[in-house]
Amino acid sequence: MSYSQLFSQRATAIKSSVIREILKVTANPDVISFAGGLPAPESFPVAQMKAAFDKVLVTDAQSALQYSTTDGYAPLREWVASRMSTDGATITPDQVIIVSGSQQALDLIGKVFIDEGDTVLVETPTYLGALQAFSLFAPKFVSVASDEQGLDASQLTAEDAQAAKFLYALPNFQNPTGRMMSEERRAKLVEVARANDLLVVEDDPYGALWYQAAPPASLLSRMPERVIHMGSFSKVLAPGLRLGYIVAPVEIARKFEQAKQATDLHTSTIAQRVVYEVVKDGFLDEHIPSIRTLYHGQAQVMLEALSEHMPNGVVWNVPAGGMFLWVTLPDGLNAEKLLEKAVARNVAYVPGTPFYANVAQDNTLRLAFVTVPAEKIRHGVAQLAQIFGE
Amino acid sequence: MSYSQLFSQRATAIKSSVIREILKVTANPDVISFAGGLPAPESFPVAQMKAAFDKVLVTDAQSALQYSTTDGYAPLREWVASRMSTDGATITPDQVIIVSGSQQALDLIGKVFIDEGDTVLVETPTYLGALQAFSLFAPKFVSVASDEQGLDASQLTAEDAQAAKFLYALPNFQNPTGRMMSEERRAKLVEVARANDLLVVEDDPYGALWYQAAPPASLLSRMPERVIHMGSFSKVLAPGLRLGYIVAPVEIARKFEQAKQATDLHTSTIAQRVVYEVVKDGFLDEHIPSIRTLYHGQAQVMLEALSEHMPNGVVWNVPAGGMFLWVTLPDGLNAEKLLEKAVARNVAYVPGTPFYANVAQDNTLRLAFVTVPAEKIRHGVAQLAQIFGE
């Protein structure tokens, strides 16, 4: 039987990634990998998680193992609403949908908003997982100019802003660049969104992971009536549970609920119960500072190694939080081609190309630094510096 | 801001369900609900689940709480492949994708196969959740004649069979009817599928829940090259974990893997690890017989109550397994209209209408019997009999 002729156009359009193939070798423990996007496992609060699983399974197992509602566990939705309200706007629990990780939020956003050919505005570059999720619904991506200060809404034409279903942005320590959108850029985006009646998706998995100062107020707090805010427990607790949330205007939240029912009925009951147990009495406020300290230290090691080893012409940003930084090689160097050389020397990174929705800058790459021991960061960066210098 | 104008066509087409609204009142503990599709919580193996969570969190917590691969936990995929191979066909682990519950399998099938207007063949009636999942991708549903012996492939025209992307069937104790496809009907479906080069989706959440004799061999075992088989841990362990699996030809499995990566990255790592711990040494073979006994007993109570109370002209099937049976009222009675009267007397069921993809028989309804105590089954059925007799 020939299967491929039965595939939908969207499925046929999904290509195997060359980069993914190259990076498969990085599972080898000899490889120093700056490619992964994993949080540091030593930051997972194992004791608290275990205590919460114990408590839920001892006190209310039958309910925690049963089907539950599509919108999510009510106490957890209340907790999210309350936490999101501290920032300025008042968020109610009926604006919150619990999802099976942020990637599911992207899928639901694609389902609920994108018809084939619709305009979606994205940063330059932007999160690859969002491009993958949205692409299944065949939008037309328009890349909005972005730099060290983040997305620059003043570069967005009124025509594109008015045509777009939404603008997708990661204001805090963006994946892939580690950039943070400045106060001025946030204010400008709010102004442009209001002037053009533009809906904004604010993806914020890393916002709590600042190093020395909290980022400017969220887009949600500035214009809750036109922001869909995505949050996640993956980077502040643990990703293996697959738990995140969407905050949106009520009418949109109800549409997400309907789409989610058709997509996976609901998110794991026990995962929601356990995470609620862990977070309900303020644990995150004790826990997150230790992640900040860990990640800041890791960033420092990588920044020092880059300064020490990289040849002239290679530039990078100094992230104020998160798990990534962005390297730009001299014009003419191709980070995808150089990856093969790097992997041959047992060092890996992700080339920048796949993070661009339209024209790619192929001399860019993403370095992830939170899971690699300091000594290996230094050695790996030295190796990369040699390759880039050759 | 006006949100509705931004919604996609597929999202706009999702309607709120009138029935869902009526059934909201059934959360009231005074209501005897034959409407739910929940498995009996007393069948959940709480002690085994707790021991497995303990073991995984004590021995390998960091890995169990970390991101993992999209296709699923390798030992669990191997276990599924081995278990599915006992039935005749040889299934390899690379044919298995672990999913976040069967509903996600339906979403992935829709994503990978359905372009707008594509023909999808379904039973008459069929599972509502499948209609909801597939509808987001806007197929043309063609209902295939079905009766007490299940779907009748001899009624399927060659034109429809050849035009279809796939046929979707639940051969064992179907939701909503409780029907089991007979040996003859399975053989006929295989013949028709081969003659018309038709792909078949076999959804099998209830197959293990037979009462007195196992159902005939699966469609997967008869033609593994043209079957996508969906399985679930929801009815044999517990649904709150959201864990199921797809078995498919390798080329299709790889497409599901790509689509799943864009949809939710992967299924909960810890849920997969825990379920593997529970099932790996043969626990299901000890456990499932107790569910069969429980559900068979519940079915008997309901069947006796129906025989005792229902007026002439009301007919129902005698299920050989599963959680549901199907009632047909005399012509002219409308089960949806009668639901309001039933709810007013504190009894609920699901009218048959939403389970039909095309022309509905509105004098049908689904009764679920596994979570209702015997005394309440008798009382509830007596109430319904009065309403239908009036």
Side-chain angles (χ1 to χ4, degrees), chain A residues 1-16 20 37-46 49-50 53-54 57-58 61-67 70 100 103-107 110-116 118 127 129 132-133 136-137 164-165 197-199 224-226 234-235 238-242 249 251-252 255 257-271 371, chain B residues 1-16 20 37-46 49-50 53-54 57-58 61-67 70 100 103-107 110-116 118 127 129 132-133 136-137 164-165 197-199 224-226 234-235 238-242 249 251-252 255 257-271 371:
Chain A
M1 169 160 214
S2 162
Y3 307 116
S4 59
Q5 67 189 36
L6 295 175
F7 292 150
S8 62
Q9 291 175 30
R10 82 182 70 77
T12 305
I14 308 176
K15 297 280 174 262
S16 287
R20 206 176 157 89
L38 306 187
E42 64 267 34
S43 75
F44 302 162
V46 171
M49 300 291 289
K50 179 154 190 330
F53 272 108
D54 281 349
L57 284 166
V58 167
Q62 289 191 351
S63 161
L65 294 169
Q66 186 58 284
Y67 284 114
T70 300
S100 307
Q103 189 69 30
Q104 182 178 57
L106 296 167
D107 179 57
K111 278 196 173 115
V112 164
F113 289 99
I114 304 176
D115 285 316
E116 188 175 345
D118 280 349
Y127 174 51
Q132 291 174 330
L136 290 183
F137 305 98
K165 283 296 180 83
D197 205 22
L198 173 64
L199 186 67
E225 77 288 358
R226 58 177 69 254
S234 292
K235 309 305 187 299
L241 297 165
R242 310 308 303 123
E251 185 184 348
I252 298 178
K255 229 12 138 178
E257 184 182 14
Q258 292 174 330
K260 182 169 166 65
Q261 193 188 16
T263 299
D264 71 350
L265 294 185
H266 65 84
T267 293
S268 166
T269 318
I270 189 166
T371 54
Chain B
M1 168 160 213
S2 163
Y3 308 116
S4 60
Q5 67 188 37
L6 295 174
F7 292 149
S8 62
Q9 290 175 29
R10 82 183 67 78
T12 305
I14 307 175
K15 298 279 175 264
S16 288
R20 208 177 156 87
L38 306 188
E42 64 268 34
S43 75
F44 302 161
V46 171
M49 300 291 289
K50 176 148 193 334
F53 272 109
D54 281 350
L57 284 166
V58 167
Q62 289 190 351
S63 161
L65 294 169
Q66 185 58 285
Y67 284 116
T70 300
S100 307
Q103 190 70 28
Q104 182 179 56
L106 296 167
D107 178 58
K111 278 195 171 115
V112 164
F113 289 100
I114 304 175
D115 285 316
E116 187 176 344
D118 279 350
Y127 174 51
Q132 291 174 330
L136 290 184
F137 305 98
K165 283 295 182 83
D197 206 23
L198 173 64
L199 186 68
E225 77 288 357
R226 58 176 69 258
S234 291
K235 309 304 187 300
L241 297 165
R242 309 310 301 125
E251 185 183 348
I252 296 178
K255 226 16 133 177
E257 184 182 14
Q258 292 174 330
K260 182 170 167 63
Q261 193 189 16
T263 299
D264 72 350
L265 295 184
H266 66 84
T267 293
S268 166
T269 318
I270 189 166
T371 54

Side-chain angles (χ1 to χ4, degrees), chain B residues 53-223:
Chain B
F53 272 109
D54 281 350
K55 182 172 174 194
V56 168
L57 284 166
V58 167
T59 60
D60 203 11
Q62 289 190 351
S63 161
L65 294 169
Q66 185 58 285
Y67 284 116
S68 55
T69 57
T70 300
D71 55 357
Y73 182 53
L76 185 61
R77 289 192 294 113
E78 285 159 20
W79 181 90
V80 170
S82 162
R83 194 163 176 97
M84 289 291 111
S85 296
T86 57
D87 211 13
T90 299
I91 304 299
T92 55
D94 60 352
Q95 292 182 257
V96 180
I97 302 286
I98 305 295
V99 292
S100 307
S102 271
Q103 190 70 28
Q104 182 179 56
L106 296 167
D107 178 58
L108 294 176
I109 290 166
K111 278 195 171 115
V112 164
F113 289 100
I114 304 175
D115 285 316
E116 187 176 344
D118 279 350
T119 297
V120 169
L121 306 172
V122 295
E123 294 173 277
T124 310
T126 189
Y127 174 51
L128 174 58
L131 294 176
Q132 291 174 330
F134 298 156
S135 288
L136 290 184
F137 305 98
K140 184 185 108 184
F141 289 113
V142 173
S143 297
V144 183
S146 313
D147 61 18
E148 265 313 289
Q149 305 304 308
L151 177 136
D152 184 359
S154 72
Q155 305 281 315
L156 176 59
T157 68
E159 190 186 3
D160 283 338
Q162 288 165 22
K165 283 295 182 83
F166 59 84
L167 178 147
Y168 170 75
L170 303 100
N172 296 323
F173 324 126
Q174 193 222 35
N175 184 353
T177 62
R179 290 170 182 164
M180 185 185 78
M181 197 185 289
S182 66
E183 172 60 36
E184 292 67 26
R185 290 287 174 83
R186 290 175 200 234
K188 186 69 189 174
L189 176 54
V190 169
E191 183 192 317
V192 168
R194 289 210 168 111
N196 295 284
D197 206 23
L198 173 64
L199 186 68
V200 174
V201 175
E202 177 178 45
D203 188 359
D204 191 26
Y206 311 107
L209 306 181
W210 46 266
Y211 301 153
Q212 292 177 294
S218 68
L219 301 174
L220 178 70
S221 69
R222 294 165 196 252
M223 46 175 185

